[in-house]
Amino acid sequence: MNSEKHSKAIDLSHHFSEVAKTRKPSPLKELSKYFGRKDLISLGGGLPHPAYFPLSGLSVDALVPDSFALAPAEHSSSLSWLWKLLGANTSPKEKTASVYIPKYSTDTNDINLAAALQYGAAVGQPQLQNFLRQFVSQVYQPAFEDFTTLIHTGNTDGWCRAFGSFCNPGEGVLMEEWNYPSAMAAMLPSNIRPVTVAMDGQGMRSDALEKVLSEWDEEVRQMPRPHVLYIVPVGQNPCGTTMKSARKEQIYDVCVKYDVIIVEDDPYFFMQLGDYEMKSVRSPFTSHSSGRDQAARFVSSLEPSFLRYDYQGRVVRLDTFSKTIAPGSRLGFFTCNPIFAERFERQGETSTQSPCGFGQSIVTKILTNWKYDGYIRWLQGLRTEYAQRRDFFIDCLAEEFDLQAAPAPAGIWEGCLTYQAFSNRRISNTTEKSSPLFSFVPPNAGMFVWLKLNLERHPSFTSEAEGTLEFKLWTLLAEDGVIFAPGWFFPTDDVATSDVGAGHFRISYSNAEYANLKKAVTVFGRVIREFFNEQN
Amino acid sequence: MNSEKHSKAIDLSHHFSEVAKTRKPSPLKELSKYFGRKDLISLGGGLPHPAYFPLSGLSVDALVPDSFALAPAEHSSSLSWLWKLLGANTSPKEKTASVYIPKYSTDTNDINLAAALQYGAAVGQPQLQNFLRQFVSQVYQPAFEDFTTLIHTGNTDGWCRAFGSFCNPGEGVLMEEWNYPSAMAAMLPSNIRPVTVAMDGQGMRSDALEKVLSEWDEEVRQMPRPHVLYIVPVGQNPCGTTMKSARKEQIYDVCVKYDVIIVEDDPYFFMQLGDYEMKSVRSPFTSHSSGRDQAARFVSSLEPSFLRYDYQGRVVRLDTFSKTIAPGSRLGFFTCNPIFAERFERQGETSTQSPCGFGQSIVTKILTNWKYDGYIRWLQGLRTEYAQRRDFFIDCLAEEFDLQAAPAPAGIWEGCLTYQAFSNRRISNTTEKSSPLFSFVPPNAGMFVWLKLNLERHPSFTSEAEGTLEFKLWTLLAEDGVIFAPGWFFPTDDVATSDVGAGHFRISYSNAEYANLKKAVTVFGRVIREFFNEQN
């Protein structure tokens, strides 16, 4: 691994797809050398006058950056916690500070609606660009200096622009065996196909990646060797795995060897939650330092982005504000080399154009008002909140089931400690130990618990019936008012994937009220015991 | 023409492209029959909790609907008008009413940020859907009853979803000879090619369309007969032409005969400005009625949408809030048959997803607060403002040049009265009448004046030098601080287009301050007279 800081990305423009090569900048931009003049009168563009925007200003009641504690409050039982949090949806006690976005501003450094709501360059508001550049430098620390940030309308848009810029129809993208379904749904209509790589408890395996690439046979595979890799390295969707730095370096080196572009889709980066510990042994969360020191320690505690190892500029990082501000902001950003960024910008110009000016101006105003340290503090608070939600949900499972730790077998959890869930209604004098109902690895990042159902226990189990049984159990749960995401949403393809058909549920602890998380687990317990003919 | 109201669109699903056919709904949506239950606990989606959206509310200082007069104020000279309007950018005197968008609302009919900022269905906020349905019924009056509205992130996104849903690579789209460049820039990378149709003073000619379609030869053209037509029928970009209802009916009937889908891109619908009259003869603008009557009279005064004649459901209408609210809203909507809408929705789900929730909630709150009549009143005010800007700009031309009316020759202005602009610095005792410097038709809609330069007058004119001379004059103007959009941006292709190479400028009167419009015309006068060796 090459750890020194490089001044420039290498030229990787040979990766561009035929379509990407045809996109031209708008001619008015070509002529923009004249536009630097202060006294220029442009009657060139079809712009409405800002006096006709029907707003004189926007006032945003923004939450303060330290709205959420860095450490969970002491709680004696999950029930007291429950009641405390129960009313959150109806009577929020939010500490806010109001910020105002005027239509006109005499200080051109201030965000103003006259500019933000006008037709804008696809690169977005300059104040946001400035904030993002500082943010990326300090948090992700790319290994090359001429990195570029470019806003997009969320990571799905970002991913569409990435595969659209790199892949011709008929080509393949390297992906983990289990995957975020929208990433595939977006590329399949363009006849861009997934090529699966085996996973373990950290996500994609570097040895499996090397094997796929080194043994590639164009004729057998009926496509050229893939030159694009898509990965969700933190809080993998759906498996919840997180890749550590050594694995990222190994994967990066394989990608250098085989000249592969890495698209790092990383919405859960700041939701690195730490390991789950059983409630009985959980150590109290302590946080003594504060301010800049606190921010730096938090950032350095996170598994780094692929950008940290990217001395060549072959990583396209996708960040989104969907999890850290709100999904409806429809705002995110690329970090990548400037040659890639230029193509992504061209593609934006003829599709989504610039992200919404309302969203851009509000998010920018909040961020610039909070400043870098404030935003990091906000993210730390969010991290603590989601860690509590994760802990609470698994505590509920521990109350509803008899959880027993066991080392994971080979496969997607290799290297992790799994929990096997047994019915806790077993009659005490039964001597025969039954097999578990399901097993899981507590996620150390993201929003999801990925359950593997032990369908072999079911009386009507045959290997053909696996998918059917998963759907049957899913339906029983839905009829009792609980929706999990069924496993059959998530395999990348149905040939090579290990664990396919074993029966899985992806359960999100990120959104429901605590009382409902508890209730859902209770319903799940009753339904799965019935399903497996256990006592209730 | 079939004028009765039809209950259902016909099935036109055979128009779908191969790509469009492959797009599937998300499985969670498929399972949504369970989601109607009020007591359902969903742990299925990866949604953040709304408590973590860092806003408790948004206060919008919205302009009142009657912010702009229905009739221009009396003014004795353009100069007094100038000074009155000069300060608009720095000290706006805007009449506003504040509306508040809370994070949480007990009334589910109210727009709230907890819903608007969450991951949303691509169909958008229900309150906006309701408003749009009423709006389309009353304003556009589609000739079939099961029309559907679906929001998108602006007409460029809408057009991308339309050609992506209908056109396979290698197919062609029927377009006018002069065109909005981004419409072509968006489709060319997918190898979808323009097929030009001749224009006159109303835009696309129906006889020319019939001729192209009836004489289509797949072998000569090397593509199948086009089944999609793209048109900007009001305030055509760049020519400023507007199509009247009889022509729309004729084109619709040709499209029925040859089974062609019409994509009506209509950003300037409410900027139907009426005819320009020379200042000396201009009749005072009067407006006596008010309220609902006024709204109805305004709407019925506008040339109708293609939807009015669309008894089969073959029109895809693209509306945008870019010109009526603000470009940065990145919000617009389709009106079309429900089968098309379903495909556009699927395409949205895997690209832009739902338009920005900040923008959606703010625009929806303004519209629902104003109500239908208020929004129509706002649009009328805008219409008057843009009519004044158009009149002022042409008045400036009339002051700077000697304008003489003349009937248009055959070609893109056929059927219109043109103005020929002569230098007004001609020495009075010169007996020889010189030829005009340029000519134009005052637009009766939109934002643009389309000038045809009389390059033959230039000493170094040859037919080869036309493009060069246009660019030379453009550069002289830019060096003197005035930017027009040069004609070479706009031809649909460079083979069949009449008037190509004649030299054109597209001039926008929509955005600059009045003083700058005046100044730009003065600079233009001096530069073009020098260019043509006229006296200054």
Side-chain angles (χ1 to χ4, degrees):
Chain A
M1 142 83 201
N2 193 320
S3 63
E4 63 183 295
K5 186 90 169 176
H6 289 246
S7 63
K8 265 175 88 99
I10 63 171
D11 184 354
L12 293 162
S13 56
H14 56 277
H15 283 284
F16 289 135
S17 65
E18 294 307 314
V19 163
K21 288 177 195 160
T22 65
R23 297 186 195 279
K24 295 192 182 120
S26 91
L28 264 181
K29 242 176 222 172
E30 290 285 87
L31 301 169
S32 63
K33 58 179 172 174
Y34 294 108
F35 292 4
R37 284 182 56 162
K38 284 243 158 110
D39 60 341
L40 195 80
I41 303 173
S42 176
L43 310 185
L47 280 61
H49 193 283
Y52 308 146
F53 304 163
L55 305 90
S56 68
L58 268 182
S59 180
V60 184
D61 294 332
L63 269 61
V64 296
D66 58 354
S67 290
F68 299 105
L70 293 178
E74 284 291 319
H75 51 273
S76 49
S77 76
S78 61
L79 214 60
S80 72
W81 204 7
L82 265 180
W83 299 125
K84 185 170 75 75
L85 286 149
L86 204 57
N89 215 9
T90 48
S91 59
K93 286 172 201 127
E94 294 175 330
K95 247 174 77 186
T96 61
S98 187
V99 288
Y100 191 72
I101 308 170
K103 185 190 271 183
Y104 304 107
S105 165
T106 45
D107 182 347
T108 50
N109 291 324
D110 281 354
I111 277 282
N112 63 80
L113 296 176
L117 297 183
Q118 192 52 275
Y119 283 110
V123 294
Q125 296 298 299
Q127 299 89 344
L128 182 56
Q129 285 289 324
N130 293 342
F131 186 92
L132 295 179
R133 181 144 193 112
Q134 185 205 358
F135 181 82
V136 167
S137 294
Q138 292 193 235
V139 176
Y140 305 132
Q141 304 168 36
F144 65 106
E145 281 171 19
D146 65 338
F147 71 86
T148 303
T149 63
L150 173 71
I151 57 173
H152 54 59
T153 69
N155 281 9
T156 307
D157 173 46
W159 170 232
C160 286
R161 290 202 228 173
F163 73 72
S165 294
F166 298 133
C167 298
N168 293 308
E171 292 185 354
V173 172
L174 298 154
M175 293 180 144
E176 287 156 312
E177 296 166 293
W178 295 91
N179 216 331
Y180 171 49
S182 285
M184 286 176 294
M187 70 186 204
L188 288 176
S190 306
N191 192 25
I192 299 165
R193 303 278 149 193
V195 173
T196 57
V197 180
M199 301 173 71
D200 65 11
Q202 287 192 45
M204 185 180 282
R205 295 175 66 115
S206 51
D207 55 348
L209 177 65
E210 167 101 40
K211 191 172 149 68
V212 167
L213 289 166
S214 67
E215 296 177 358
W216 192 264
D217 184 323
E218 288 205 10
E219 287 194 19
V220 174
R221 296 276 199 159
Q222 298 191 297
M223 61 168 79
R225 196 176 70 201
H227 62 115
V228 175
L229 180 153
Y230 171 87
I231 196 162
V232 179
V234 175
Q236 205 264 4
N237 187 349
C239 301
T241 54
T242 293
M243 190 175 284
K244 295 195 187 300
S245 57
R247 175 72 61 82
K248 281 179 174 159
E249 279 192 60
Q250 289 158 9
I251 286 190
Y252 188 82
D253 289 343
V254 173
C255 288
V256 169
K257 184 170 171 189
Y258 294 95
D259 192 18
V260 172
I261 303 298
I262 298 170
V263 182
E264 179 181 44
D265 180 1
D266 205 357
Y268 311 112
F269 181 83
F270 291 100
M271 294 187 192
Q272 299 190 33
L273 309 177
D275 290 334
Y276 172 79
E277 291 180 291
M278 292 291 264
K279 204 167 155 190
S280 52
V281 299
R282 195 174 300 155
S283 48
F285 213 103
T286 50
S287 174
H288 296 300
S289 54
S290 65
R292 182 157 294 260
D293 177 47
Q294 173 74 31
R297 289 204 315 135
F298 171 60
V299 167
S300 67
S301 75
L302 303 169
E303 293 295 339
S305 160
F306 272 104
L307 287 174
R308 184 83 73 87
Y309 312 108
D310 187 22
Y311 64 94
Q312 296 192 321
R314 61 172 64 251
V315 171
V316 176
R317 184 179 164 85
L318 306 179
D319 271 278
T320 175
F321 289 106
S322 288
K323 310 300 191 289
T324 59
I325 302 283
S329 65
R330 295 288 81 220
L331 189 64
F333 59 98
F334 299 98
T335 307
C336 61
N337 76 59
I339 297 172
F340 288 178
E342 191 272 344
R343 290 290 89 186
F344 300 152
E345 186 184 339
R346 293 291 88 75
Q347 196 169 348
E349 280 168 1
T350 52
S351 56
T352 56
Q353 301 197 5
S354 192
C356 175
F358 288 110
Q360 273 196 67
S361 55
I362 292 168
V363 171
T364 305
K365 191 74 187 181
I366 291 175
L367 292 177
T368 54
N369 193 52
W370 282 352
K371 300 195 175 68
Y372 172 80
D373 286 342
Y375 185 44
I376 296 293
R377 175 62 187 81
W378 170 258
L379 294 169
Q380 273 188 281
L382 280 193
R383 192 267 300 259
T384 305
E385 287 290 308
Y386 282 105
Q388 286 185 80
R389 287 182 154 271
R390 187 263 325 257
D391 291 350
F392 177 81
F393 182 75
I394 298 176
D395 291 349
C396 291
L397 290 175
E399 284 161 22
E400 184 67 27
F401 300 96
D402 173 14
L403 292 191
Q404 310 218 347
I412 63 158
W413 287 334
E414 197 173 329
C416 301
L417 195 71
T418 65
Y419 284 92
Q420 297 187 321
F422 297 87
S423 170
N424 60 5
R425 310 291 164 93
R426 284 175 296 170
I427 297 156
S428 54
N429 59 4
T430 303
T431 50
E432 188 195 4
K433 183 168 160 52
S434 76
S435 59
L437 304 172
F438 61 88
S439 54
F440 66 98
V441 171
N444 52 16
M447 294 181 157
F448 308 114
V449 173
W450 181 238
L451 289 193
K452 182 170 168 177
L453 301 166
N454 188 16
L455 295 176
E456 291 181 30
R457 277 183 114 260
H458 195 272
S460 67
F461 175 82
T462 65
S463 60
E464 290 76 31
E466 286 166 345
T468 321
L469 284 175
E470 177 187 287
F471 189 61
K472 194 176 165 194
L473 179 56
W474 186 90
T475 306
L476 290 171
L477 277 166
E479 283 169 358
D480 266 10
V482 173
I483 299 279
F484 297 158
W488 56 268
F489 286 7
F490 302 101
T492 300
D493 67 32
D494 34 41
V495 184
T497 306
S498 61
D499 259 0
V500 165
H504 296 83
F505 289 138
R506 191 197 72 177
I507 308 176
S508 165
Y509 46 78
S510 57
N511 174 263
E513 302 308 322
Y514 278 79
N516 282 336
L517 289 175
K518 176 75 182 162
K519 194 171 157 193
V521 170
T522 306
V523 171
F524 177 51
R526 178 170 47 73
V527 171
I528 196 171
R529 285 189 300 270
E530 276 171 14
F531 182 72
F532 283 134
N533 285 331
E534 285 277 344
Q535 293 194 358
N536 249 322
Chain B
M1 138 86 207
N2 192 322
S3 62
E4 64 183 297
K5 187 89 169 178
H6 289 246
S7 64
K8 267 175 90 98
I10 64 171
D11 184 353
L12 294 163
S13 57
H14 56 278
H15 284 282
F16 288 135
S17 65
E18 294 308 315
V19 162
K21 286 177 197 162
T22 65
R23 297 187 194 279
K24 296 193 183 116
S26 89
L28 265 181
K29 240 176 226 172
E30 290 285 89
L31 302 170
S32 62
K33 58 179 170 175
Y34 294 108
F35 291 5
R37 283 182 55 162
K38 284 243 157 109
D39 60 340
L40 196 79
I41 303 174
S42 177
L43 311 186
L47 280 60
H49 193 283
Y52 308 145
F53 304 164
L55 305 89
S56 69
L58 269 182
S59 180
V60 184
D61 294 331
L63 269 60
V64 296
D66 58 353
S67 290
F68 299 105
L70 293 178
E74 283 292 317
H75 51 275
S76 48
S77 75
S78 61
L79 215 59
S80 70
W81 205 7
L82 265 180
W83 299 125
K84 184 170 76 74
L85 287 150
L86 206 56
N89 216 9
T90 48
S91 59
K93 287 171 201 123
E94 293 175 330
K95 248 174 78 185
T96 61
S98 185
V99 289
Y100 190 73
I101 308 170
K103 185 189 269 183
Y104 303 107
S105 166
T106 44
D107 182 346
T108 50
N109 290 323
D110 281 354
I111 277 283
N112 63 81
L113 295 176
L117 297 184
Q118 193 50 276
Y119 282 110
V123 294
Q125 295 298 299
Q127 299 89 343
L128 182 56
Q129 285 288 324
N130 292 342
F131 186 92
L132 295 179
R133 182 144 191 110
Q134 185 205 0
F135 180 82
V136 167
S137 294
Q138 292 193 236
V139 176
Y140 305 131
Q141 302 168 39
F144 65 106
E145 280 171 20
D146 65 339
F147 71 87
T148 302
T149 62
L150 173 71
I151 56 172
H152 54 59
T153 70
N155 281 9
T156 307
D157 173 46
W159 170 231
C160 286
R161 290 202 229 173
F163 74 72
S165 294
F166 298 132
C167 298
N168 293 307
E171 293 184 353
V173 172
L174 298 154
M175 293 180 145
E176 290 156 310
E177 296 166 294
W178 294 92
N179 216 332
Y180 171 50
S182 286
M184 285 176 294
M187 71 186 202
L188 288 177
S190 306
N191 192 26
I192 298 166
R193 302 279 148 192
V195 173
T196 57
V197 180
M199 303 172 71
D200 65 11
Q202 287 192 45
M204 185 180 282
R205 295 175 67 115
S206 51
D207 56 349
L209 176 66
E210 166 101 41
K211 192 171 147 69
V212 167
L213 289 166
S214 66
E215 295 177 358
W216 193 265
D217 184 323
E218 288 206 10
E219 288 196 16
V220 173
R221 297 277 199 159
Q222 298 190 297
M223 62 168 77
R225 197 177 69 201
H227 62 116
V228 175
L229 180 152
Y230 171 86
I231 196 162
V232 179
V234 175
Q236 205 266 3
N237 187 350
C239 301
T241 54
T242 293
M243 190 174 285
K244 294 195 188 301
S245 56
R247 174 72 59 83
K248 282 179 175 159
E249 279 192 59
Q250 289 157 10
I251 286 189
Y252 187 83
D253 290 343
V254 174
C255 289
V256 169
K257 185 171 168 188
Y258 295 95
D259 193 17
V260 172
I261 303 297
I262 299 170
V263 182
E264 178 181 45
D265 181 2
D266 205 356
Y268 311 111
F269 181 84
F270 291 100
M271 295 187 192
Q272 299 190 33
L273 309 177
D275 291 332
Y276 173 78
E277 291 180 292
M278 293 290 266
K279 204 168 156 191
S280 52
V281 298
R282 194 174 302 154
S283 49
F285 214 103
T286 51
S287 173
H288 295 300
S289 55
S290 63
R292 183 157 292 260
D293 176 48
Q294 174 74 31
R297 289 203 315 136
F298 171 61
V299 167
S300 68
S301 76
L302 303 170
E303 293 295 339
S305 160
F306 271 103
L307 288 174
R308 185 84 72 86
Y309 312 108
D310 186 22
Y311 63 94
Q312 295 191 320
R314 60 173 64 249
V315 171
V316 175
R317 184 181 163 85
L318 306 178
D319 271 278
T320 175
F321 289 107
S322 289
K323 310 301 191 288
T324 58
I325 301 284
S329 66
R330 295 289 81 217
L331 188 64
F333 59 97
F334 299 97
T335 308
C336 61
N337 75 59
I339 297 172
F340 288 179
E342 191 272 343
R343 290 289 90 186
F344 301 152
E345 185 184 341
R346 292 291 88 76
Q347 198 170 346
E349 280 168 2
T350 51
S351 56
T352 56
Q353 301 196 5
S354 193
C356 174
F358 288 110
Q360 273 195 69
S361 56
I362 292 168
V363 171
T364 305
K365 191 73 186 182
I366 291 174
L367 292 176
T368 54
N369 195 50
W370 282 353
K371 299 194 175 70
Y372 173 81
D373 286 344
Y375 185 44
I376 296 292
R377 175 63 186 80
W378 169 258
L379 295 168
Q380 274 187 282
L382 281 193
R383 193 267 300 258
T384 305
E385 287 291 308
Y386 282 104
Q388 287 184 81
R389 289 183 152 269
R390 187 263 324 254
D391 290 352
F392 177 80
F393 182 75
I394 299 177
D395 291 350
C396 291
L397 290 175
E399 283 160 22
E400 184 66 29
F401 301 96
D402 174 14
L403 293 190
Q404 310 220 346
I412 63 157
W413 287 335
E414 198 173 329
C416 301
L417 196 70
T418 66
Y419 284 92
Q420 298 188 321
F422 297 88
S423 170
N424 59 6
R425 309 291 164 93
R426 285 174 297 167
I427 299 157
S428 54
N429 59 4
T430 303
T431 48
E432 189 194 3
K433 183 169 161 54
S434 76
S435 60
L437 305 171
F438 61 88
S439 55
F440 67 98
V441 171
N444 51 16
M447 295 182 158
F448 307 114
V449 173
W450 181 237
L451 290 192
K452 183 172 168 177
L453 302 165
N454 188 14
L455 295 176
E456 291 182 28
R457 275 182 115 262
H458 195 272
S460 67
F461 174 81
T462 65
S463 61
E464 290 76 31
E466 286 166 345
T468 321
L469 284 175
E470 178 188 284
F471 189 61
K472 195 176 164 195
L473 179 56
W474 186 89
T475 306
L476 290 170
L477 277 166
E479 284 169 358
D480 266 11
V482 173
I483 299 278
F484 296 158
W488 56 267
F489 287 8
F490 303 101
T492 301
D493 68 30
D494 34 41
V495 184
T497 307
S498 61
D499 260 0
V500 164
H504 296 85
F505 289 139
R506 191 198 71 176
I507 308 176
S508 165
Y509 47 78
S510 57
N511 174 263
E513 302 308 323
Y514 279 77
N516 282 336
L517 288 175
K518 177 75 183 163
K519 195 171 155 194
V521 170
T522 306
V523 171
F524 177 51
R526 179 170 47 73
V527 170
I528 197 171
R529 284 190 300 270
E530 277 170 14
F531 182 72
F532 283 134
N533 285 331
E534 284 278 343
Q535 295 193 357
N536 248 323

